[in-house]
Structures are given as C-alpha cells and as structure tokens.
Amino acid sequence: MLFSELGLGPDVLRAIEDKGYTQPTPIQEQAIPCVLQRRDVLGCAQTGTGKTASFTLPMIDILASGRARARMPRSLILEPTRELAAQVSESFETYGKHHKLSMALLIGGETFTEQVKKLDRGVDVLIATPGRLIDLFERGNIMLNDIKVFVIDEADRMLDMGFIPDIERIVSKLPKNRQTLFFSATMPPEIRRLADAFLTDPMEISVAPPASPAETVTQAMVLVHEMDKRKALRHLLQTEDVKNAFIFCNRKRDIAVLQKSLERHGFNVGALHGDMVQSKRTETLERFKQGEITLLVCSDVAARGIDVQGLSHVFNFDVPLTPDDYVHRIGRTGRAGKQGRAFMLATPDDTKLVGAITRLIKREIPMIAIDGLETAEFGEEDSSSRGRGRGRGGRAAKSEGRPPRGGREERAPREERAPREERAAREERPVREERPVREERSSRDDRPVREERQPRESLAAAEARRNNDPRRDRDRDRRRRRDDDDDDVPVIGFGDHMPAFMLRSARPRPSAETSTEQSQEG
Ligand code: AMP
C-alpha cells in the first residue's frame, strides 16, 4: 500500500516523501484512514512500529483547516515522559513543515513563562505531560473545551507512573464531542477499562502481540556473579561491534557509579536519568544522537519510546524488575527493520526475574559464557552478592535466607546481617538505596505487589470523599513532583483516589486471567 492511498492531503504527503518513507507501516495503514474519518482509535502498538506518525500525520490534515484561539488549544496529546513529549513535537515539526500549525510543548522542568506565552498566542497542537498540564490549567492559563482531537499515548506507562487520576481529571475537562486516540503497548484489564471509559465505538488496531520483542533483536544473557558484572560488561563492550548503546541500570545511583567506572576504563560514556535537570537530559540525549557520546548509562526513563536511529546495542546491566520493561528496553534497538543486539547480565539472585521475562516473551534467552569469567548457575546462592549492601531485604539478604524453591522468601534475622554501610565499606562498594515498595515482589507470581483494591463505592461518594480529603493536595503535589522525576519512582497505586474507570464493569473477556480478576473484584 502507498501513503497516497490513505486519504492524506498533498502537503502531508510531500513531507512524508521529504522524510524518505516509501511505505506506511501496518499501524499507519490501519489507523490513518480511521483517524481521517474522525473515528476513535484504540491502538495496541509498541514504539518502533511507526505509531507516532499514525496519529500525527492525519491530525495535521484535520487541523489544517480552522484557527486556534488564545489559551484554547485544538488538540491535546498526553505523553508520560518529557523525552517522549519532545519526540512527538519533533514529529509534528517534521511532518507539518508544509503547514502553518502552531504547537506548544508543556513539560515539567522548564519555565512556565515561555509555555504560557505560546498558549496565549493560541496553539493548534498541545503536547504535554499530565502534571504540567494540570498546573497550567489550575493557574487559568489554559482552557480545554475546544479540544477536537485528544491523544493518550503509552497508556500502560501512564498507569505504571500513577498518572491515571490526573488523566481522568483532564478528560473530565474535555468536551464530550471530541475524537479520542488511545495507544498502549500492552492491554491489561485496567487499561482496557480506561479505554472503555474514554472511547466511543473505537476502531481497535493491534499490530503486534502485546509485549512481543522485535524479531530484529538478537538476545543473549550472561549469568555471572554480582562482583563480575562490570568485568562482563566491559568484555562485551570490547568484543561486540558496538556503534552506540544504552546500558540500563535499575537504580539511579548505580548509574553514576557505572558511568564513572566505564570512564575510568576509557569508554566514551554519558548518563541519563530522571534526577538530572531537564536541560542536561535534553543535551545528553542530543549528544548521544549526534554520536558525540557512544554509551549512555540510563534508567528506564530512556526505555520507552526514545528513538535513536540505528542504536546497535542494548545492555541490561541489571535484570529489569518487570518483564515489560525488558521488552521496552531491548526495543530501543533493532528498530525500523535494522538489526540490533541485546545482552543481559544476570546473577543467580535474578532467577525469578529472568523467569518472568522468559514467560512473557515465550522463549528462552540464549546464555553465553565470557572468557575468563566463571559462569554462575541459577538458583545457587550468589556468595559474591552476600553482604554487598543490596539494602533492605535486597538480593543479598534474600540469598542469605533463601528457602527451598517455591517457598516464601524471608529476610535473614537482622543480627545476622552486618550494617549495610559496614559491608559496603569492607568491600569498597557503594551503598545501595533501599528498594522502593514497587520492587517488592509477590513470591507467587513475580509481579510487583499492587495495593489492595479499594471497596466499590458510588461515583458521587468517591468524588465527595476526594474533595473533602486534605490528603488530596498532598497526593496531587506528589504526582506533580513525579512528573518532574518521571522514572523509577515507586508506584503508589491509586492512593486515596478512586478512579472512575475502576467503577465500571470490564468488558467480558474470555481469558482465565481476566475472569479471575473480575471475580476477585466481586
Ligand atoms: P515510532 O513507533 O513512532 O516511535 O517510530 C519508530 C521509527 O520509525 C521512527 O524513527 C520513525 O521515524 C520511523 N518511521 C515511522 N514511520 C515510518 C515509515 N512509514 N517508514 C519508515 N520509517 C518510519
């Protein structure tokens, strides 16, 4: 199929040609005609599938006629992270270069002044992270009642980051008569309910089974003892043909340690995580994209959607804490038909996490050995991680008290464990942060423990409770802070908020998982 067969206007087609695309991707083929017909769309698609163009291209055509009024944007796109928001705005610039659409990017970490000035002039396309949008709305800088097209991107990531209450609030300010485009990489029941609440008779498009890693990524895993991980990484960096790579760590503070260690060994390496000021984040990513930095040690802020053309490698220095994150991390490479390579460094303490990943991707990750390093074994006790300051019930503590398989894990008694600082000093290792609640795992199924579901209550009662609850402001502030620090924060569930979509019954679905979930909700 050709782009010209999808119903797009000549100026958009010209921009596509300038960009060098010859054929629409499957999601573009299906979504573009629907969006142009002004239908709602529920898209289950990962980044790397051409999803962004599937909504930006038709939106440009739709918005080409008409004019924006001051403070009343005509379309709204919500993104979970600033990097993704910035990337979508670049797409609008690329594909809208033959149009005169005005655009504003509202993201945390930047001053309000410029953003407010733009809003005052009137914008056709508003791209925002939820927290900053709510801030500006509350200050009266923005009105949402002229939104004609509303896009929620990366809905499952929004859920993970605790943004759903903010999104519900934003949706309640939008006109009923609007077009809604909803994209998510995975479709768990919570996301399905949310989609049911926001969309009207949507066209459902699924371009890849949820969470399937790209076939273009060659995966491998190295099983080593904790103390050998850096050596193993250096070996891979030296023996692989690495043009550029993301190296993912689970914790921000480990990023700095690894970056310094790699620098000491002569690698050209930068860092990217949510504690950095936005200007530094943007600059680092830009330098990496330009090839000035070859390796980027990063947190999951770089895992979703970040599009670096031709990234040759992804290294998981830590096994990700949720299997979905594995899929997103390795999806940074092997994009747009190119080949990519993804390596993961696992330790014996990662047995369960690796099991969860292989269950999700429905295949084993091939194991490779590294010359000169002892290959560890899953399930064995990693004596190298014992007392390594993993922190609270961390892996070290777990391995010390590890029960037989399948049993409930217990922490070793306190007196049996040396203080973390002492252990760290002894072994010249950095003290790791206490792990946040999110990383507690249910011993039954390896999924992060979610908060208990709240009992059902009526919408009116829930709203009244929220309005009267003094903790509401505190929770809002917390969410806002999270928008400024949008990676590896602990998930706090819904806190005191009862989202409206939780009060709706889910669409009946045949899978066993869904029926269990529904029966539990009672
Ligand atoms: P996305 O899934 O939106 O993050 O897009 C992933 C990458 O695919 C981006 O680098 C796009 O520039 C690229 N891309 C999008 N559409 C096409 C297309 N039709 N042909 C080739 N590349 C594309």
Side-chain angles (χ1 to χ4, degrees):
M1 181 169 271
L2 300 170
F3 273 109
S4 54
E5 296 170 69
L6 301 178
L8 293 163
D11 289 336
V12 175
L13 289 175
R14 214 151 35 102
I16 294 171
E17 207 181 315
D18 296 346
K19 178 79 183 156
Y21 299 163
T22 49
Q23 271 196 319
T25 64
I27 187 148
Q28 291 164 1
E29 231 177 86
Q30 296 175 70
I32 291 173
C34 281
V35 180
L36 289 172
Q37 285 162 21
R38 310 307 311 273
R39 272 193 75 176
D40 283 3
V41 168
L42 173 57
C44 186
Q46 302 172 33
T47 55
T49 54
K51 169 175 63 103
T52 316
S54 79
F55 60 84
T56 47
L57 292 171
M59 278 175 76
I60 292 168
D61 261 357
I62 290 168
L63 298 167
S65 54
R67 275 194 62 215
R69 284 178 283 170
R71 298 182 186 196
M72 295 180 79
R74 297 165 64 215
S75 65
L76 170 64
I77 300 170
L78 290 182
E79 293 288 337
T81 68
R82 302 175 207 161
E83 277 76 11
L84 282 172
Q87 212 163 269
V88 171
S89 81
E90 281 165 24
S91 288
F92 265 101
E93 269 163 15
T94 307
Y95 307 134
K97 66 188 210 184
H98 301 300
H99 289 81
K100 287 200 169 61
L101 294 178
S102 56
M103 183 177 66
L105 185 60
L106 302 188
I107 54 178
E110 297 197 347
T111 59
F112 283 95
T113 331
E114 277 307 306
Q115 298 182 351
V116 169
K117 264 193 211 156
K118 272 204 168 167
L119 288 171
D120 283 348
R121 287 198 291 268
V123 294
D124 297 300
V125 183
L126 182 59
I127 304 162
T129 47
R132 180 53 67 102
L133 181 71
I134 287 194
D135 272 341
L136 283 159
F137 184 82
E138 285 176 351
R139 288 162 170 241
N141 294 115
I142 190 166
M143 283 176 280
L144 297 175
N145 39 1
D146 198 29
I147 298 288
K148 301 196 168 39
V149 188
F150 172 51
V151 182
I152 302 180
D153 198 13
E154 300 275 339
D156 51 353
R157 175 80 163 142
M158 300 271 200
L159 180 75
D160 284 350
M161 294 173 73
F163 281 146
I164 298 304
D166 284 345
I167 292 174
E168 287 202 313
R169 212 160 149 235
I170 292 165
V171 172
S172 73
K173 311 289 176 205
L174 299 176
K176 296 261 175 302
N177 187 15
R178 61 164 198 267
Q179 182 178 19
T180 306
L181 315 175
F182 186 108
F183 295 91
S184 188
T186 54
M187 230 17 104
E190 297 99 318
I191 293 296
R192 171 63 67 167
R193 284 195 200 102
L194 197 61
D196 285 349
F198 293 166
L199 298 162
T200 309
D201 186 25
M203 170 79 178
E204 292 196 23
I205 301 171
S206 181
V207 291
S212 65
E215 295 300 324
T216 48
V217 182
T218 306
Q219 303 170 55
M221 175 167 59
V222 184
L223 185 55
V224 287
H225 294 288
E226 178 73 29
M227 65 182 184
D228 290 332
K229 276 170 80 174
R230 288 189 215 163
K231 214 187 249 177
L233 176 66
R234 289 198 299 274
H235 178 91
L236 290 170
L237 291 171
Q238 282 153 354
T239 51
E240 281 285 308
D241 185 15
V242 178
K243 182 178 137 241
N244 50 6
F246 280 161
I247 303 170
F248 286 100
C249 291
N250 288 351
R251 305 214 57 89
K252 290 172 196 163
R253 63 179 53 195
D254 294 339
I255 292 173
V257 175
L258 183 59
Q259 184 199 5
K260 285 208 181 74
S261 158
L262 289 171
E263 260 171 7
R264 269 200 309 276
H265 284 86
F267 291 97
N268 174 8
V269 56
L272 188 76
H273 59 79
D275 274 355
M276 292 160 60
V277 292
Q278 185 56 35
S279 53
K280 185 76 185 157
R281 271 162 76 164
T282 311
E283 183 206 313
T284 305
L285 197 56
E286 200 44 44
R287 289 183 59 210
F288 184 71
K289 285 182 177 176
Q290 298 303 327
E292 289 171 36
I293 300 171
T294 319
L295 307 174
L296 204 54
V297 186
C298 48
S299 67
D300 280 300
V301 76
R304 297 246 184 169
I306 297 293
D307 185 27
V308 176
Q309 298 280 329
L311 188 80
S312 73
H313 284 73
V314 166
F315 296 95
N316 282 293
F317 184 74
D318 293 318
V319 176
L321 297 161
T322 71
D324 281 353
D325 284 339
Y326 176 77
V327 176
H328 288 292
R329 288 179 182 187
I330 72 166
R332 297 311 96 218
T333 182
R335 289 163 76 81
K338 294 208 172 95
Q339 294 295 312
R341 290 169 76 75
F343 289 86
M344 180 157 73
L345 303 181
T347 70
D349 291 331
D350 293 319
T351 310
K352 284 187 169 186
L353 296 179
V354 172
I357 292 169
T358 52
R359 275 199 299 283
L360 180 78
I361 65 174
K362 298 191 176 64
R363 66 168 87 155
E364 293 296 318
I365 304 171
M367 200 103 82
I368 57 168
I370 294 217
D371 284 349
L373 283 187
E374 185 195 347
T375 298
E377 273 185 46
F378 278 130
E380 78 174 90
E381 198 173 282
D382 189 354
S383 54
S384 80
S385 72
R386 187 182 285 200
R388 282 216 168 270
R390 284 231 181 239
R392 160 236 66 86
R395 297 176 194 179
K398 276 184 192 167
S399 69
E400 283 168 11
R402 189 182 285 284
R405 278 181 187 209
R408 210 182 155 73
E409 289 182 343
E410 284 172 11
R411 295 182 67 182
R414 188 165 285 282
E415 57 276 15
E416 283 175 34
R417 288 178 284 123
R420 273 193 305 144
E421 294 76 6
E422 195 184 299
R423 279 182 272 139
R426 204 168 51 221
E427 304 191 21
E428 292 176 6
R429 296 263 304 187
V431 177
R432 287 197 188 215
E433 223 168 28
E434 298 279 302
R435 280 203 187 177
V437 176
R438 177 189 178 188
E439 296 166 19
E440 297 276 358
R441 288 173 179 280
S442 102
S443 57
R444 189 172 51 84
D445 63 6
D446 267 343
R447 284 184 303 188
V449 173
R450 294 206 181 226
E451 285 189 5
E452 291 282 308
R453 287 253 160 88
Q454 314 235 352
R456 277 166 186 263
E457 61 182 322
S458 75
L459 255 180
E463 183 64 30
R465 183 174 51 74
R466 283 201 302 275
N467 288 341
N468 291 330
D469 191 340
R471 286 172 296 186
R472 189 175 164 226
D473 289 345
R474 187 203 59 199
D475 287 344
R476 196 195 52 213
D477 289 346
R478 194 196 294 155
R479 285 199 301 276
R480 208 163 287 154
R481 274 199 302 280
R482 193 175 323 132
D483 190 20
D484 285 340
D485 179 18
D486 47 19
D487 67 327
D488 83 27
V489 289
V491 165
I492 54 163
F494 296 121
D496 299 310
H497 174 86
M498 169 60 78
F501 78 89
M502 292 290 289
L503 302 171
R504 290 172 180 250
S505 55
R507 200 186 272 182
R509 298 209 327 139
S511 81
E513 191 192 337
T514 313
S515 45
T516 315
E517 178 105 19
Q518 282 167 345
S519 66
Q520 278 170 354
E521 280 174 42

